[in-house]
Structures are given as structure tokens and as C-alpha cells.
Amino acid sequence: MKNLFISCLLLSFGLQSCKNNENNKEVEAVKADTEKIVSTECYKAIYEKDTIELKLNTLKSGKLSGNMVMKVAAATERTGEITGEFHGDTLFADYTFIEVTNKSKTFKNPMAFLKKDKQLILGNGTMQTTMGVTYLVKDKPIDFDSVKYKFEPSECVSK
């Protein structure tokens, strides 16, 4: 009788485990579907000796992903991924990057871009770091007028 009880208990756990696997597969399928790329746009900003190249993929979910390479004259080259989403005409994104000279350390900065006509304008905002996480301060306005980097649409180049 005791063995029968244990066998039934193990069988019910096994069935529940299979059901969980089915649910996980459904969740992964939905997630993969919303992460499908709907469109891709490329931009380039040039200011004096600085060049920034940006590739943005619009996902089915409405979020954005892509990559950015920053070649700023006074600093080392930075390359990394950008993720975010639009709130109205402003793209709020996180840029996770490495410096080419120090590939062992990863950095993450928040960014805000204003979409104006076909341009993306990189704003200057007040940043704050709390417990190791840097973010744009919500109560402080982001300046999109006195800026260096205005991104113009460009042709996407495969690397």
C-alpha cells in the first residue's frame, strides 16, 4: 500500500513536470514571437572628429534593440548593444558597452533620443547612480537643444 502511494505520488510529479515543460515552451514561443524583428533602421552622427553609428531593430513587441559604435576623438572606441522603447517621440534606452582597449569590463549607461522628423537627437540629461545602477533623473528635464550628436538616417552596413 505504501509503495502504491509513493508510485502515485511520483507519477503525479512527473505529469506536473511535463505540464510545466509545455507551459514553458508556450511562454518561450510567445516571447520569441514578440522578439521578432519587424524593421531595421541605421543612423550616423558626426560631430567634429567624433562618429557614432547606430543600428536599431524594431521588434514585434514595439521595443527596440540594436548596436552602437562610438568613436569619440578624446576617448577609446566603445561598442555595444542598445535596448529600449519609445515613450511618445522619445526613445529611452540602455547602452551596454565595452571599451575596445578594456574588453574585460562592461559599462551600462542610460540614453534618451528625441525623434524629430527623420533625425534622432541624443539628449543631455542629469544622471544619478544608486546601488551601482545609473539612470536618468525623472524630475530633471533632458536637453535636446544644446547637443553634439544629431543622428541622420544612413545605409545599414553589415560587419
Side-chain angles (χ1 to χ4, degrees), residues 5 22 34 52 55 72 76 78 92 100 102 104 131 154 157:
F5 175 74
E22 288 175 14
T34 58
I52 304 175
K55 180 178 180 180
V72 179
T76 58
R78 298 173 180 170
F92 291 96
V100 175
N102 183 12
S104 63
M131 295 175 57
S154 69
V157 180

Side-chain angles (χ1 to χ4, degrees), residues 12 20-21 30 33 40 46 69 71 74 77 82-83 93 97 99 103 125 129-130 139 145 154 159:
S12 68
N20 285 343
N21 285 341
V30 169
D33 189 44
T40 300
I46 299 173
V69 177
K71 297 176 184 173
E77 182 178 327
I82 190 162
T83 57
F97 64 94
E99 292 179 335
K103 294 183 179 186
T129 303
T130 304
D139 297 338
D145 296 320
S154 69
K159 291 184 179 180

Side-chain angles (χ1 to χ4, degrees), residues 48-77:
E48 294 176 354
K49 294 182 180 181
D50 304 345
T51 303
I52 304 175
E53 294 175 342
L54 173 64
K55 180 178 180 180
L56 289 176
N57 300 311
T58 303
L59 306 177
K60 191 172 181 180
S61 65
K63 295 187 179 191
L64 296 162
S65 70
N67 53 55
M68 187 162 65
V69 177
M70 298 180 77
K71 297 176 184 173
V72 179
T76 58
E77 182 178 327

Side-chain angles (χ1 to χ4, degrees), residues 72-114:
V72 179
T76 58
E77 182 178 327
R78 298 173 180 170
T79 182
E81 296 181 2
I82 190 162
T83 57
E85 63 184 311
F86 274 98
H87 294 275
D89 58 358
T90 306
L91 168 61
F92 291 96
D94 286 316
Y95 180 44
T96 306
F97 64 94
I98 58 169
E99 292 179 335
V100 175
T101 57
N102 183 12
K103 294 183 179 186
S104 63
K105 189 170 183 183
T106 303
F107 301 90
K108 187 173 185 177
N109 282 342
M111 298 182 133
F113 298 86
L114 177 66

Side-chain angles (χ1 to χ4, degrees), residues 92 124-128 135-143:
F92 291 96
N124 295 319
T126 304
M127 288 195 254
Q128 182 174 337
Y135 58 93
L136 292 166
V137 179
K138 289 185 180 182
D139 297 338
K140 303 281 182 172
I142 299 170
D143 177 20

